[in-house]
Amino acid sequence: MMTATIFIIAFGCLSLAAIYFAIRGQCASIETLEQLEGNTKPVDLAAFQNLIDPREQEFLRLNLSKECYRRIQQDRVLISIEYLRCAAHNAALLIRVGEALRDSPEPAIRESAMQLVNSAMWLRLFALAAIVKLRFNIFFPGLSLTTLSARYNQVAESVCLLSRLKDPVSTSHILSSL
Amino acid sequence: MTSNVTAYALWVGTLANQCGIFVLLLRNQLFREMPIFFSYTVFHILRSLALLGIRSWYTPTQYSYAYWGAEAISAVLGFAVIYEVFSNVLKRYEGIRRLGLMLFRWTFLVLILVAIATAGTPDTKNSPALISSIIVLERSIRIIQCGLMGFLFLFGSTLALSWRHYAFGIALGFGLFASVELILAAVRAQLGPATDHLYALLKPGSYAFATLIWSAYLISPAPEPVVVATIPNNQVEQWNEAILGLLAR
């Protein structure tokens, strides 16, 4: 009973915290073009592509000692995360620019602005998802989410094969639950 | 005596505030954009007046039934208001509208399960069964509302969505009121009738505060949007391609 009450009160406090952060974000919103330009964080796309290039990673793995490769790879991942943070931040500013132009009297600008808002929003979402993925890779260097999903599929197939051999009737139920 | 005066002052203040909100919604034509919030406001004005009449002319038991019945309707309308605010925010972002609504529905389902799980922990103190059940039900409703408001704010800040001024105000007031009521209901369920006095004062107090926030946001002018002439050069598409490649690995 006491644990449930603590959990509920903590839940209420978390909700209040979410409100606090929302107010802070709303207060820090951009109001002038100068503020907008001054707030962007320059990011080099080519450098980022190099950092996440699997061939580059393979090259380093083959030419460096295991310890050195591990250290360098971790640094590369941390830098990639920083790049992604900047990209997500810039995407938020581009969303504001797009929104400001969405009501433009010129149809071409209006169309481009809507496309910009859409693309920038997906960029922000992808960047945040990629940060989660890279953080996951730091804690579990040998595993990637894609490998996990491929392994899960393998296990699911093996279970189905086994069940098909043992009990062909219930296979469809197992298949649908996996 | 003092608590009676405070309760009366809160009641009058909230009613006056809601009448003000009603006028502002009509004057700014916002009843077209937020019809459910408008209905919610009208319902609360009528409810306050009706409950005053019932309290004067009927028995306390009848008043109690009327009060909790109105609370149930208010809770249902509250869910509808949250959904309306969320739809209002997403309306301007066609690209993520489907994703947003899907996540909202899943969050709602998960929160219902959490509310059911917490409803299993009964009131240990010696409250009458009916009061105890009502407090537990109220707690469950507030858990769902707080969770939905939390999701709304997190989703908005994660995707850097810009809110319409009044929609943010409505969400803010509703979120604060739902969070405080959740904490109050949890404390009341844990400590029993000893906290009735505090509960009876803070519950309408939190609602009065929410109505103050709503009126403040409806009165204050919306901030001017950024003036931009052209779309700046950007590499959004290339960035999306690069990050998608990373995510696919």
Side-chain angles (χ1 to χ4, degrees):
Chain A
M1 172 68 185
M2 190 65 188
T3 319
T5 306
I6 292 171
F7 164 76
I8 294 165
I9 292 173
F11 191 73
C13 293
L14 272 178
S15 178
L16 286 173
I19 294 169
Y20 166 74
F21 285 114
I23 297 171
R24 228 177 54 161
Q26 198 75 358
C27 291
S29 64
I30 307 285
E31 280 164 17
T32 65
L33 186 58
E34 289 71 35
Q35 269 182 316
L36 195 75
E37 282 166 350
N39 266 296
T40 50
K41 293 179 180 167
V43 272
D44 187 349
L45 178 61
F48 175 73
Q49 280 171 324
N50 181 279
L51 278 170
I52 60 164
D53 188 351
R55 286 167 302 178
E56 192 76 17
Q57 195 177 328
E58 188 60 15
F59 176 80
L60 290 173
R61 199 179 63 79
L62 292 173
N63 291 285
L64 294 172
S65 66
K66 205 172 176 182
E67 180 56 28
C68 190
Y69 168 72
R70 201 183 59 80
R71 211 181 51 240
I72 287 184
Q73 190 51 32
Q74 195 163 5
D75 286 346
R76 282 163 61 85
V77 170
L78 289 174
I79 297 167
S80 305
I81 289 175
E82 205 44 51
Y83 268 88
L84 287 166
R85 271 213 196 106
C86 293
H89 172 85
N90 291 345
L93 297 176
L94 283 172
I95 293 170
R96 294 286 164 277
V97 172
E99 281 171 350
L101 288 168
R102 209 157 36 177
D103 301 322
S104 163
E106 285 186 49
I109 293 184
R110 222 168 35 225
E111 178 73 18
S112 305
M114 268 152 78
Q115 267 176 18
L116 178 66
V117 169
N118 209 20
S119 304
M121 202 162 279
W122 282 111
L123 169 58
R124 199 169 152 82
L125 199 62
F126 291 153
L128 296 174
I131 289 173
V132 173
K133 182 189 164 109
L134 290 177
R135 285 236 173 267
F136 180 84
N137 284 357
I138 290 177
F139 290 114
F140 307 99
L143 275 179
S144 78
L145 293 175
T146 326
T147 321
L148 265 186
S149 115
R151 281 190 192 160
Y152 178 80
N153 282 340
Q154 272 178 4
V155 172
E157 275 169 27
S158 310
V159 170
C160 283
L161 187 68
L162 261 175
S163 63
R164 204 172 287 145
L165 289 170
K166 284 187 81 177
D167 181 9
V169 182
S170 62
T171 308
S172 59
H173 294 289
I174 294 171
L175 255 176
S176 61
S177 62
L178 282 172
Chain B
M1 176 67 190
T2 320
S3 68
N4 267 350
V5 172
T6 317
Y8 187 71
L10 275 175
W11 182 82
V12 173
T14 309
L15 184 61
N17 249 336
Q18 286 194 306
C19 291
I21 293 168
F22 173 77
V23 172
L24 287 167
L25 287 170
L26 276 179
R27 203 186 63 185
N28 302 337
Q29 306 264 314
L30 287 176
F31 64 93
R32 287 182 213 278
E33 287 200 47
M34 306 291 287
I36 300 174
F37 181 68
F38 182 71
S39 312
Y40 179 82
T41 304
V42 172
F43 170 75
H44 270 269
I45 294 170
L46 296 177
R47 168 192 190 258
S48 296
L49 295 172
L51 284 178
L52 180 71
I54 293 169
R55 193 175 189 162
S56 313
W57 296 310
Y58 293 87
T59 63
T61 313
Q62 284 166 323
Y63 172 78
S64 178
Y65 283 128
Y67 176 84
W68 290 110
E71 277 287 286
I73 299 171
S74 170
V76 174
L77 277 172
F79 285 121
V81 169
I82 296 174
Y83 186 77
E84 185 174 62
V85 171
F86 193 63
S87 304
N88 185 283
V89 174
L90 285 183
K91 198 164 69 181
R92 300 154 74 206
Y93 304 100
E94 207 45 58
I96 51 139
R97 198 179 147 79
R98 267 181 60 188
L99 172 76
L101 289 176
M102 188 190 77
L103 288 175
F104 185 85
R105 281 173 198 140
W106 276 107
T107 309
F108 187 58
L109 273 178
V110 170
L111 285 167
I112 287 175
L113 294 178
V114 172
I116 291 170
T118 54
T121 54
D123 184 351
T124 52
K125 304 291 169 186
N126 301 324
S127 296
L130 180 67
I131 299 290
S132 180
S133 312
I134 287 171
I135 297 282
V136 169
L137 182 67
E138 168 137 39
R139 199 179 59 185
S140 302
I141 288 167
R142 298 299 172 209
I143 286 176
I144 301 173
Q145 288 183 340
C146 275
L148 289 176
M149 294 311 295
F151 168 76
L152 180 55
F153 284 120
L154 285 179
F155 186 79
S157 59
T158 304
L159 287 178
L161 306 181
S162 67
W163 296 60
R164 284 198 190 276
H165 186 60
Y166 59 84
F168 184 78
I170 293 171
L172 189 65
F174 212 91
L176 274 172
F177 147 69
S179 306
V180 173
E181 282 221 356
L182 171 63
I183 295 170
L184 281 176
V187 170
R188 167 64 183 76
Q190 176 67 34
L191 301 177
T195 53
D196 272 355
H197 186 66
L198 192 73
Y199 183 75
L201 200 68
L202 288 179
K203 188 176 149 67
S206 64
Y207 189 72
F209 188 59
T211 57
L212 268 179
I213 295 175
W214 292 333
S215 9
Y217 267 85
L218 288 170
I219 290 170
S220 65
E224 288 293 314
V226 190
V227 182
V228 190
T230 54
I231 292 179
N233 282 335
N234 62 76
Q235 296 178 304
V236 174
E237 295 302 338
Q238 292 92 319
W239 269 99
N240 274 342
E241 216 168 282
I243 299 174
L244 271 177
L246 171 68
L247 286 171
R249 279 208 294 277

